[in-house]
Amino acid sequence: MNAMTPKVLEAINRQIAAEFGASFSYLAMAAWCERHKFMGAGKWLRMQSAEEHMHAMKLFDFVLARDHVVRLTGIDEPRTAFVSIVEVFEQALSQEQKVSGQIDELYELAFRERVFAAMAELQWFITEQVEEEKSVREIVAKFHMVKDDPASLLDLDRELGARQPASAAPPAA
Ligand SMILES: [Fe+2]
Ligand SMILES: [Fe+2]
């Protein structure tokens, strides 16, 4: 086994930027929603942006815990224009699917390079991606169900606004 390898370190540093990029992207989606007065969706997306920030910091902390150099690369400007609220969440879903692919590739690289500590760290991300894809997919499906019905859209927006921050309780066992 290896404590770390240059390839894995480079890939984790790239993933830190990808998570900050996701955080930025969700913030841009929140701005679109709030400007279009979908305040509940805006709140949901702000919270998701904070979660992505936490993901980035989790990898940031991991690199430091392994006594390596964190390299913060530039992040791309996120998309800010959308034609509808359903398009916002469709973009969120495709973004999450892309990230799941990145995490899988990173895990495979850690496996090939025999960096077992990185594999253990990345397992949390694999599980998290399953959860995130599932919740965004459900929201997209609901927007497709309500279509342009104003009353149902308002209900759905209210439902999204009821999102609570992820529990700070430590995981069981
Ligand atoms: Fe993430
Ligand atoms: Fe995510």
Side-chain angles (χ1 to χ4, degrees), residues 12 18 30 39 44 52 55 64 70 79 87 94-96 100 115-117 140 145 153 160 164 170:
I12 292 174
M39 304 311 281
W44 192 99
E52 300 298 347
H55 295 169
L64 291 177
V70 172
R79 178 176 168 191
E87 201 192 17
S94 67
Q95 180 175 302
E96 288 303 336
S100 297
V115 183
F116 299 138
V140 169
M145 280 183 246
L153 276 173
L160 290 172
Q164 296 299 314

Side-chain angles (χ1 to χ4, degrees), residues 71-99:
R71 202 168 50 79
L72 296 173
T73 65
I75 53 179
D76 293 336
E77 186 177 341
R79 178 176 168 191
T80 50
F82 300 91
V83 297
S84 63
I85 188 154
V86 63
E87 201 192 17
V88 169
F89 283 92
E90 280 168 348
Q91 145 129 351
L93 180 57
S94 67
Q95 180 175 302
E96 288 303 336
Q97 287 166 333
K98 191 175 150 209
V99 170

Side-chain angles (χ1 to χ4, degrees), residues 22-152:
S23 177
F24 245 41
S25 176
Y26 276 117
L27 207 49
M29 293 180 211
W32 187 93
C33 287
E34 292 186 15
R35 211 160 60 77
H36 291 80
K37 307 304 169 238
F38 289 109
M39 304 311 281
K43 185 183 164 200
W44 192 99
L45 290 158
R46 280 174 187 248
M47 270 185 204
Q48 191 57 38
S49 173
E51 286 228 349
E52 300 298 347
H53 185 276
M54 185 269 283
H55 295 169
M57 293 311 293
K58 194 165 166 20
L59 291 173
F60 178 99
D61 289 340
F62 176 74
V63 172
L64 291 177
R66 302 308 286 159
D67 204 21
H68 285 281
V69 176
V70 172
R71 202 168 50 79
L72 296 173
T73 65
I75 53 179
D76 293 336
E77 186 177 341
R79 178 176 168 191
T80 50
F82 300 91
V83 297
S84 63
I85 188 154
V86 63
E87 201 192 17
V88 169
F89 283 92
E90 280 168 348
Q91 145 129 351
L93 180 57
S94 67
Q95 180 175 302
E96 288 303 336
Q97 287 166 333
K98 191 175 150 209
V99 170
S100 297
Q102 290 168 343
I103 299 288
D104 285 354
E105 276 174 32
L106 192 44
Y107 189 82
E108 190 189 357
L109 178 68
F111 172 74
R112 271 188 290 150
E113 299 268 310
R114 301 174 61 78
V115 183
F116 299 138
M119 289 174 70
E121 177 70 17
L122 290 166
Q123 259 157 24
W124 182 90
F125 283 85
I126 292 173
T127 308
E128 178 72 4
Q129 282 310 118
V130 171
E131 238 350 276
E132 295 207 338
E133 275 191 49
K134 176 178 181 281
S135 59
V136 180
R137 198 176 291 114
E138 284 170 4
I139 294 169
V140 169
K142 283 178 186 174
F143 273 111
H144 282 146
M145 280 183 246
V146 307
K147 296 201 167 65
D148 295 326
D149 178 53
S152 305

